Amino acid sequence: MKIDLNADAGESFGNWKLGRDEELFPLLSSVNVACGFHAGDPLTMGRTLELAQKTGLAVGAHPGFPDLVGFGRREMAATPEEIYADVLYQVGALSAFLKVRGLALHHVKAHGALYNRATRDPETARAIAQAVRDFDPAVPLVVLPNTPLEQEAQRLGLRTVAEAFPERGYSRDGRLAPRGTPGAWIHEPEVAARRAVQMVVEGRVAAVDGGWVEVRAQTLCIHGDNPSAVEIARAVREALWAEGVSIETYA
Amino acid sequence: MKIDLNADAGESFGNWKLGRDEELFPLLSSVNVACGFHAGDPLTMGRTLELAQKTGLAVGAHPGFPDLVGFGRREMAATPEEIYADVLYQVGALSAFLKVRGLALHHVKAHGALYNRATRDPETARAIAQAVRDFDPAVPLVVLPNTPLEQEAQRLGLRTVAEAFPERGYSRDGRLAPRGTPGAWIHEPEVAARRAVQMVVEGRVAAVDGGWVEVRAQTLCIHGDNPSAVEIARAVREALWAEGVSIETYA
Amino acid sequence: MKIDLNADAGESFGNWKLGRDEELFPLLSSVNVACGFHAGDPLTMGRTLELAQKTGLAVGAHPGFPDLVGFGRREMAATPEEIYADVLYQVGALSAFLKVRGLALHHVKAHGALYNRATRDPETARAIAQAVRDFDPAVPLVVLPNTPLEQEAQRLGLRTVAEAFPERGYSRDGRLAPRGTPGAWIHEPEVAARRAVQMVVEGRVAAVDGGWVEVRAQTLCIHGDNPSAVEIARAVREALWAEGVSIETYA
Amino acid sequence: MKIDLNADAGESFGNWKLGRDEELFPLLSSVNVACGFHAGDPLTMGRTLELAQKTGLAVGAHPGFPDLVGFGRREMAATPEEIYADVLYQVGALSAFLKVRGLALHHVKAHGALYNRATRDPETARAIAQAVRDFDPAVPLVVLPNTPLEQEAQRLGLRTVAEAFPERGYSRDGRLAPRGTPGAWIHEPEVAARRAVQMVVEGRVAAVDGGWVEVRAQTLCIHGDNPSAVEIARAVREALWAEGVSIETYA
């Protein structure tokens, strides 16, 4: 049995450092690299890919809204045409850094408010998926299962990769518990690790509102900007290993 | 006999329009498309390529310094490593818009202060050329002949395309007359046209400081942000045609 | 009888020109000057104030969302704390250009999606109004009447200036007809002029869905980025003059 | 005897944190607050002033080149007119945050490449000084002594405050040792502290090329982005205190 373990990466910007990529990368199997709109800059992208290549990680693009000061976390009323062009631009920019290293684009995952909007809004989902498909129909899109993001991508014939979040609380109806509500975030590495095992081995996780919720996951996401990201990734990795699950990316 | 006729294009930004691309494109054989750092934005890039494709133009990338408010015309003390990454990023972004249209990247030409710095500074020239070569060694770089930009690109084994400027004055030593000096700019379409013919047919042009200067040209540049760009392009085209020179891009 | 006539101004950015400020200014009594977040840049702000001072116009700040490529027209999920700080920053920046000319800040008017959001969302309205009041409690805020923007500003003790739009259709319930619906925009200068007279002299205007709607106006807004802005402003001015209404700003 | 101790502050940007303002502020008497062009953003500016006010620090504006990704450390060929407007804009923006707290603008100090260029180029120096003088002729400008920055500011009638750098090596001719040369940076807090005492009490410091160099200082600068800034500031403060020098800002 195997599962992919991903994290956002390359989230520094110019003189500002963010994340512990050097420590985190050896614990992962894939990374989502910021492309300059919400984080990342050309120099940082090049250095992040150098590190990813050295570590042998699969590299995906992580396009976001054009909002550096808001880190791409503020929803913007961009049109589908704008979202399509913004995603294509960012995927292309990252692809150039991959190309010069002989690496292939492994996947695309939308960032922050763009991802969230796409889990609710079919037009946003379709614009993202269309950009990926037009760029390279063989590249899969990471999605939150059972949302318009998954549905629209599949409708366009794009491969999807279902993602789950061991650090995030889920409600019984399968949705992520809204930030700010009790149980929305898990901080203890052991708890996150136990949940990762539940998700991968049992296909379910304990819900914040009681009982269990089914979870479908081909990749688990660790939040790289979490100060304890490294400890959580290590605990998740070891707990999965102990259950006979290896951390390997999808083909 | 044939010659390429190029102009900068896609220099609008968001709500702000610049240039007369619709009128100018039918008169050209290639365009240099802004990539978002000094002008252009994802939506504009997509629309510019749509127009270029419809017109049958060869499309090159036009990377510049990251300075929107200064339109990439202010020299910046960027390091070679930064310039390499900035050029690679922009070339990659544009390439994505080409790829989704089934178009190939035809050439790269640096913009504004980046181009100018590269005609004087070998390190800048090398950083630009290295980025292009690493991205695709078959893509030629447009250069000002007899400058470090040409020399460094050739040293790296990159194909170069010599560029001349029918609208710009040249001094006897082969350099462009500095902006602001008498004769630095030609405004009359007929004069620009006559100079274009001299450049292409005779391989020389009248110098601002008297006599003639040798000019080597595989492409002639029309400044798209010049209000009379369309008239100049038309006059240049017709004058060349009258001499049996056809406007065709290089392979 | 008198009324203020305002327009957005200083909406160029770097090399990109927008609007016909030179022609429009002599027809107005006040302007709302872009402050660099959605349009405008320091050089443009200085030049716009020079022109406004020469023309004798009252100058207000026109803060918007930090979204140059979207021209501040895309709603952003900024927090009240962010909106407060963004407005304060922009008002302060413009005030420096006023100060060096011996001019006073005459009013503040939010731009685009920020204005629109504030007409629906009390938190947004309060953040804007609080920033203005903290900066200078004597400076009035331009508002759409009968909206949270007016209510929250007044609740904070801020003076408000009711604005009406002779170029925009109103529905019977007093709201602006949504863009894209029939009658949402008036293009003919004479029609806009007739509506301006109705608004100022009769306190009402013909509604897009039949009948009349009451309109309360201390200032009329002309959209400066409208290609026929100058013609509309002239027609409005002349029609009001013919009714004995002079174009003068509020104290 | 007394001396001012300053550091750059508020250099975070959005989600990216930089500097240890909370620990550093109690050791200083004044701060130079980033204004959004090379670092800082409206929210960060407000929070930085809150902290400065709580600590009782004098607050100055720290305008820089518009180059976030380069942190204002890359020289840009901005014109004097552009520099004037950029400085005025940034000083105005910061002043709004001061005004709402009842604080006065204590001084202005240019940042990074803008400061450096002004120590060599009289036109740059004049543009900065003119902007400060036009904004408020009573506000002093922090300068490197015996440079065009000091000379041009004084020629315009502006008060200047001479700055020295206990962490930086000086050559015998009074210039800062270029970055990258041996002795250009002092890393040990005790050495920096000893040099601070030499500068303030003896008016001189040991030169990197042997012997002593005269130093004139009304303020000492600690580099806030130095990882050991807090330790250096503490050592400097204690060493000066032991010599009977109190850390107090200038009026």
Side-chain angles (χ1 to χ4, degrees):
Chain A
M1 206 172 190
K2 62 176 194 164
I3 186 84
D4 180 61
L5 192 59
N6 83 74
D8 300 347
E11 293 189 322
S12 294
F13 181 72
N15 198 38
W16 293 280
K17 303 303 162 205
L18 190 72
R20 296 157 65 188
D21 288 1
E22 286 80 3
E23 297 168 81
L24 193 56
F25 278 22
L27 304 169
L28 305 171
S29 50
S30 73
V31 278
N32 323 302
V33 177
C35 305
F37 273 39
H38 69 276
D41 62 82
L43 219 47
T44 296
M45 287 162 72
R47 290 173 182 166
T48 303
L49 292 212
E50 185 183 356
L51 185 63
Q53 188 170 32
K54 217 185 307 179
T55 326
L57 291 183
V59 176
H62 198 41
F65 278 127
D67 179 20
L68 272 177
V69 75
F71 203 66
R73 287 183 176 154
R74 305 189 291 192
E75 191 164 318
M76 294 181 67
T79 64
E81 196 190 7
E82 289 169 336
I83 291 170
Y84 174 91
D86 282 358
V87 169
L88 187 57
Y89 183 99
Q90 294 178 73
V91 168
L94 186 80
S95 292
F97 289 88
L98 289 165
K99 192 168 188 288
V100 301
R101 298 192 162 274
L103 299 172
L105 179 67
H106 179 260
H107 65 276
V108 174
K109 175 179 164 183
H111 167 81
L114 182 59
Y115 182 95
N116 292 338
R117 185 172 162 190
T119 64
R120 294 190 319 268
D121 174 39
E123 283 209 322
T124 301
R126 204 150 46 232
I128 296 169
Q130 187 75 51
V132 175
R133 205 197 65 173
D134 287 358
F135 184 74
D136 186 344
V139 168
L141 184 66
V142 175
V143 301
L144 191 65
N146 309 318
T147 66
L149 183 52
E150 183 179 56
Q151 292 145 10
E152 296 300 322
Q154 292 181 349
R155 189 164 299 162
L156 287 169
L158 205 58
R159 257 178 70 211
T160 55
V161 175
E163 178 171 46
F165 299 88
E167 298 158 283
R168 293 294 309 276
Y170 284 72
S171 55
R172 235 173 324 179
D173 64 3
R175 305 180 67 93
L176 293 172
R179 291 167 184 249
T181 62
W185 284 95
I186 282 83
H187 299 290
E188 304 78 14
E190 313 71 39
V191 181
R194 190 183 329 131
R195 294 169 67 81
V197 169
Q198 288 172 353
M199 289 168 161
V200 176
V201 177
E202 307 175 26
R204 61 176 197 169
V205 78
V208 290
D209 45 359
W212 295 88
V213 50
E214 275 190 44
V215 170
R216 178 157 48 88
Q218 294 161 275
T219 183
L220 300 179
C221 177
I222 303 297
H223 287 84
D225 60 342
N226 185 330
S228 48
V230 172
E231 291 67 34
I232 288 175
R234 190 171 292 124
V236 164
R237 198 179 175 91
E238 289 172 2
L240 287 167
W241 187 262
E243 296 291 326
V245 182
S246 65
I247 306 297
E248 279 177 57
T249 198
Y250 41 93
Chain B
M1 206 171 188
K2 61 174 196 167
I3 187 82
D4 180 62
L5 192 60
N6 83 74
D8 301 347
E11 293 188 322
S12 294
F13 181 73
N15 198 38
W16 294 280
K17 302 303 162 205
L18 190 71
R20 297 157 63 188
D21 288 1
E22 286 79 5
E23 296 168 80
L24 193 56
F25 278 23
L27 304 169
L28 306 172
S29 50
S30 72
V31 278
N32 323 302
V33 177
C35 304
F37 273 38
H38 69 276
D41 62 82
L43 220 47
T44 297
M45 288 163 71
R47 290 172 182 167
T48 303
L49 292 212
E50 185 182 357
L51 185 63
Q53 187 170 34
K54 218 184 306 178
T55 326
L57 291 184
V59 176
H62 199 41
F65 279 127
D67 178 20
L68 271 177
V69 74
F71 204 66
R73 287 183 175 154
R74 306 190 290 191
E75 191 165 319
M76 293 181 68
T79 63
E81 196 189 7
E82 289 168 336
I83 291 169
Y84 174 91
D86 282 359
V87 169
L88 187 57
Y89 183 99
Q90 293 177 74
V91 169
L94 187 79
S95 293
F97 289 88
L98 289 165
K99 191 167 189 286
V100 301
R101 297 192 162 274
L103 298 173
L105 179 67
H106 178 260
H107 65 275
V108 174
K109 176 180 164 182
H111 168 81
L114 182 60
Y115 182 94
N116 291 339
R117 186 172 161 190
T119 63
R120 294 190 320 269
D121 174 39
E123 282 209 322
T124 300
R126 203 150 46 231
I128 296 168
Q130 186 75 51
V132 177
R133 204 197 65 173
D134 288 358
F135 184 74
D136 187 344
V139 169
L141 184 66
V142 175
V143 301
L144 191 66
N146 309 319
T147 66
L149 182 52
E150 182 179 57
Q151 291 145 11
E152 296 301 322
Q154 292 182 350
R155 190 164 299 162
L156 286 170
L158 206 59
R159 257 178 70 212
T160 55
V161 175
E163 178 172 42
F165 299 88
E167 297 159 282
R168 292 295 309 277
Y170 284 72
S171 56
R172 233 173 325 178
D173 64 3
R175 304 180 67 91
L176 293 172
R179 291 166 184 251
T181 62
W185 284 94
I186 281 82
H187 298 291
E188 305 78 14
E190 314 72 37
V191 180
R194 190 184 329 130
R195 294 170 67 81
V197 169
Q198 289 173 353
M199 288 170 163
V200 175
V201 177
E202 307 175 24
R204 61 176 195 169
V205 78
V208 290
D209 44 359
W212 294 87
V213 50
E214 276 189 41
V215 170
R216 179 157 50 87
Q218 295 161 274
T219 184
L220 300 180
C221 178
I222 303 297
H223 287 84
D225 60 342
N226 186 330
S228 46
V230 172
E231 292 68 34
I232 288 176
R234 190 172 293 122
V236 164
R237 199 178 173 90
E238 289 171 2
L240 287 167
W241 186 262
E243 296 290 328
V245 181
S246 66
I247 306 296
E248 279 178 56
T249 199
Y250 40 93
Chain C
M1 207 171 188
K2 61 176 197 166
I3 188 83
D4 180 63
L5 192 60
N6 83 74
D8 301 347
E11 294 189 322
S12 294
F13 180 71
N15 198 39
W16 293 280
K17 303 303 162 206
L18 190 72
R20 297 157 65 188
D21 288 359
E22 286 79 3
E23 296 169 81
L24 193 56
F25 279 23
L27 304 169
L28 305 172
S29 50
S30 73
V31 278
N32 323 302
V33 177
C35 304
F37 273 39
H38 68 277
D41 61 81
L43 219 47
T44 297
M45 288 162 71
R47 290 171 182 168
T48 303
L49 293 212
E50 186 183 354
L51 184 63
Q53 187 169 34
K54 219 185 305 180
T55 325
L57 291 184
V59 176
H62 199 40
F65 279 128
D67 178 20
L68 271 177
V69 75
F71 204 65
R73 287 183 176 154
R74 306 190 289 191
E75 190 164 319
M76 293 181 68
T79 64
E81 196 190 6
E82 288 169 338
I83 291 170
Y84 174 92
D86 282 0
V87 169
L88 187 57
Y89 184 98
Q90 293 177 74
V91 169
L94 186 80
S95 293
F97 288 88
L98 289 166
K99 192 167 189 288
V100 302
R101 297 192 163 275
L103 299 173
L105 179 67
H106 179 260
H107 66 276
V108 174
K109 175 179 164 183
H111 167 81
L114 182 59
Y115 182 94
N116 291 339
R117 186 172 162 190
T119 64
R120 295 189 320 270
D121 175 38
E123 284 208 322
T124 300
R126 203 152 45 231
I128 296 169
Q130 187 75 50
V132 176
R133 204 197 67 173
D134 288 357
F135 184 73
D136 187 344
V139 169
L141 185 67
V142 175
V143 301
L144 191 66
N146 310 317
T147 66
L149 182 52
E150 183 178 56
Q151 291 145 10
E152 296 300 322
Q154 292 181 350
R155 189 164 301 164
L156 287 170
L158 207 57
R159 257 178 70 210
T160 55
V161 175
E163 179 172 44
F165 299 88
E167 297 160 283
R168 292 295 308 278
Y170 283 73
S171 55
R172 234 174 323 180
D173 64 3
R175 306 180 65 91
L176 293 172
R179 291 166 184 252
T181 61
W185 284 94
I186 282 83
H187 298 290
E188 305 78 14
E190 313 71 39
V191 181
R194 190 184 329 131
R195 294 169 66 81
V197 169
Q198 288 172 353
M199 288 168 162
V200 177
V201 177
E202 306 175 26
R204 62 177 197 168
V205 78
V208 290
D209 43 359
W212 295 88
V213 50
E214 277 189 41
V215 170
R216 178 157 49 89
Q218 295 161 273
T219 184
L220 300 179
C221 177
I222 303 297
H223 287 83
D225 60 341
N226 186 331
S228 47
V230 172
E231 292 67 34
I232 288 175
R234 190 172 292 123
V236 164
R237 199 181 173 88
E238 288 171 2
L240 287 168
W241 186 260
E243 295 290 329
V245 181
S246 66
I247 306 296
E248 278 177 57
T249 198
Y250 41 92
Chain D
M1 207 171 189
K2 62 175 195 166
I3 187 83
D4 180 61
L5 192 59
N6 83 73
D8 301 347
E11 294 189 321
S12 294
F13 180 72
N15 198 38
W16 294 281
K17 302 304 162 204
L18 190 73
R20 297 157 64 189
D21 288 1
E22 286 79 3
E23 296 168 80
L24 193 56
F25 278 23
L27 303 169
L28 306 171
S29 49
S30 73
V31 278
N32 323 302
V33 176
C35 305
F37 273 39
H38 68 277
D41 61 83
L43 219 46
T44 296
M45 287 163 70
R47 290 172 182 166
T48 303
L49 292 212
E50 185 182 357
L51 185 63
Q53 187 170 34
K54 218 186 305 181
T55 327
L57 291 184
V59 176
H62 198 41
F65 279 127
D67 179 19
L68 271 177
V69 75
F71 203 67
R73 287 184 176 153
R74 305 189 291 191
E75 190 164 319
M76 294 181 67
T79 64
E81 196 190 6
E82 289 169 337
I83 291 170
Y84 174 92
D86 282 359
V87 169
L88 187 57
Y89 183 99
Q90 294 177 73
V91 169
L94 186 80
S95 293
F97 288 89
L98 289 166
K99 192 167 188 288
V100 301
R101 297 192 163 275
L103 298 173
L105 179 67
H106 179 260
H107 66 275
V108 174
K109 175 179 164 183
H111 167 81
L114 182 59
Y115 183 95
N116 291 338
R117 187 173 161 190
T119 64
R120 294 188 321 269
D121 175 37
E123 282 208 323
T124 301
R126 203 151 46 231
I128 297 169
Q130 187 75 51
V132 176
R133 205 197 63 173
D134 288 358
F135 183 73
D136 187 344
V139 168
L141 185 66
V142 175
V143 301
L144 191 65
N146 309 318
T147 66
L149 183 52
E150 183 178 56
Q151 291 145 11
E152 296 301 322
Q154 292 181 351
R155 189 164 299 163
L156 286 170
L158 207 58
R159 257 178 70 211
T160 56
V161 175
E163 179 172 44
F165 299 88
E167 297 159 283
R168 291 296 308 278
Y170 283 73
S171 56
R172 236 173 323 179
D173 64 3
R175 305 179 67 91
L176 293 172
R179 291 164 184 253
T181 61
W185 284 94
I186 281 81
H187 299 291
E188 305 77 14
E190 312 71 39
V191 180
R194 191 183 328 132
R195 293 170 67 82
V197 169
Q198 289 172 354
M199 287 169 163
V200 177
V201 177
E202 306 176 26
R204 62 177 197 168
V205 77
V208 290
D209 44 359
W212 295 87
V213 50
E214 276 189 43
V215 170
R216 178 157 50 88
Q218 294 160 274
T219 184
L220 300 179
C221 178
I222 303 297
H223 288 82
D225 60 341
N226 186 330
S228 47
V230 172
E231 292 67 34
I232 288 175
R234 190 172 293 123
V236 164
R237 200 179 172 89
E238 288 172 2
L240 286 168
W241 186 261
E243 295 291 327
V245 182
S246 65
I247 306 298
E248 278 178 58
T249 198
Y250 42 93

